[in-house]
Amino acid sequence: MGHKTQRMKTPFQGTRPRVGIVGISGYGKIHLQLIQEQESKGALEFAAAVVINPREEAAVVSALKGRGTTIYTTFDEMLAAERGRLDLCLIPTGIAWHARMTIAALGAGMNVLVEKPLAGSLPEVDAIINASSTSGRFVAVGFQDIYNPIVRTVKLRLLAGELGRLRSIKFLGFWPRSSAYFTRNNWVGRLRADGVAVLDSPLNNAFAHFVNLSLYFAGNSPEGFAQAQDVRGVLWRTNAIESFDTAVVQAVTETGVLLWLGASHASALEREPEIVIEGEDGRLTWRHEQECVIETSHGRERLLLPPAEDTRRMMMQAVLDRMAGRPATLCTPEMA
C-alpha cells in the first residue's frame, strides 16, 4: 500500500484527454469546476456529463452544450455511447454508487477519479482493485490531502526521526450538521442504501480525510500506511439516523503508536480538524487548511497549509499528469 508514482503510455489519441463527469449538482459542482478550470487551460476536452436533474440545472446544461459537452440523462447511457472514447471519468456521487460506477467505467476503458470514501465495504474495494488491474486503467481517490507535497515532506521528516519514536497520533474535529443534512438524500446516516453497504458516519465520510492522514503519518515507510489494531470505540447518535454522528475511537498500530480519533456532527460548537502527533523528542500539530507546527528541542517551525480548493486542484493535476505519462502521486484504492 502506498503512493503510486508511475509512468504509463498516454491512453488518448488526440492532444487532449476526453473527460466526463457523473453528476453536476451537490459535491459534483466542485468536480465540475476542476474540469472547467483545466479545460480553460487547454489541458482536457470536457466531452460528457451525466445530468439526472436537467430541469434544476438548466442554465449549466445550456452552457455545457454550448461548449460542446454531450449531456446524458443516465450513467448507463453515457457508458454505452462513450465506451472506449472517454479517457477519464469523474465520479462525485453518493457512497452507494462509488464501487459499481467505478468498476463499470474501468470496464468501458476509462481511468477514474472517484470521491472518498472509496466504498462502503472491503469486498467492494477488492473488486475495484481487481477491475483496475484487469482493465489496465487507474483509479484515483479523492482524499485530496494525499496529493499535497507538504504531506509527503512531513512524512519523510517523521521517518527521519525528527520527533523521535512516535508515541501517539490524535485527531479531533467538530462540524455541526443540522437535521436537513441528514435528510438530504437516501444514504446519509445510513448503514446500507441501494442494496449495498455505505456505513456513512463522520469518520467514514466528512472526517475520513483525517483518519486517512493519521494512518499515513503513522506508517513506517515513505509510501506506507499504518494498520489499526485492537480497535475500540464509543459511538453515539443524537440525530434520528441508523449510523452514528459522534464517535471516539482508539487503536494501536503494528509499531505500537496509539491512535485516538474523535469526531462529531452533533456538537454545539465547531472545531476545525486538528491532528496532534507526539514523539519522544517533539510534537507536530496539523491544523486543517491553516498550519503545520513542528516543535522540538531545536525550536519551532511553522508551515502554512493550502486551502482545500488548492489541494483539490493538485489532485486534478496529478490525475492528468498520470494520464500523460508524467510522474504523479495518486491516492490509490489500496491507500483509500
Side-chain angles (χ1 to χ4, degrees), residues 139-161:
V139 177
V141 187
F143 283 111
Q144 68 254 14
D145 289 305
I146 296 299
Y147 301 83
N148 179 2
I150 296 176
V151 171
R152 177 80 168 189
T153 298
V154 167
K155 175 65 176 290
L156 293 177
R157 292 176 67 171
L158 292 175
L159 291 172

Side-chain angles (χ1 to χ4, degrees), residues 2 8 11 17 38 86 102 135 168 214 255 332:
M8 66 176 291
Q38 291 290 344
L86 277 187
T102 296
S135 68
S168 66
S214 296
T255 57
T332 66

Side-chain angles (χ1 to χ4, degrees), residues 129-210:
I129 293 171
N130 290 335
S132 178
S133 177
T134 300
S135 68
R137 294 292 184 253
F138 69 79
V139 177
V141 187
F143 283 111
Q144 68 254 14
D145 289 305
I146 296 299
Y147 301 83
N148 179 2
I150 296 176
V151 171
R152 177 80 168 189
T153 298
V154 167
K155 175 65 176 290
L156 293 177
R157 292 176 67 171
L158 292 175
L159 291 172
E162 193 159 335
L163 300 186
R165 186 180 68 86
L166 297 188
R167 291 174 171 171
S168 66
I169 298 182
K170 300 178 181 180
F171 155 70
L172 184 65
F174 302 153
W175 279 340
R177 297 291 187 254
S178 67
S179 58
Y181 174 86
F182 295 100
T183 57
R184 72 187 193 278
N185 57 45
N186 70 340
W187 57 264
V188 67
R190 299 277 300 276
L191 300 178
R192 296 183 63 84
D194 293 313
V196 299
V198 293
L199 303 182
D200 182 53
S201 74
L203 292 178
N204 195 40
N205 195 354
F207 290 112
H209 295 284
F210 311 103

Side-chain angles (χ1 to χ4, degrees), residues 248-266:
V248 171
V249 175
Q250 182 172 304
V252 293
T253 72
E254 67 273 33
T255 57
V257 179
L258 171 69
L259 297 173
W260 189 97
L261 310 169
S264 180
H265 287 326

Side-chain angles (χ1 to χ4, degrees), residues 79-145:
L79 280 186
E82 300 289 349
R83 181 174 296 272
R85 301 179 67 239
L86 277 187
D87 302 299
L88 175 66
C89 182
L90 275 65
I91 304 179
T93 61
I95 298 171
W97 294 95
H98 286 184
R100 69 187 82 175
M101 286 184 170
T102 296
I103 291 169
L106 290 168
M110 306 170 191
N111 298 297
V112 174
L113 171 57
V114 59
E115 252 311 304
K116 58 79 196 162
L118 178 58
S121 70
L122 291 178
E124 284 186 311
V125 172
D126 290 339
I128 290 171
I129 293 171
N130 290 335
S132 178
S133 177
T134 300
S135 68
R137 294 292 184 253
F138 69 79
V139 177
V141 187
F143 283 111
Q144 68 254 14
D145 289 305

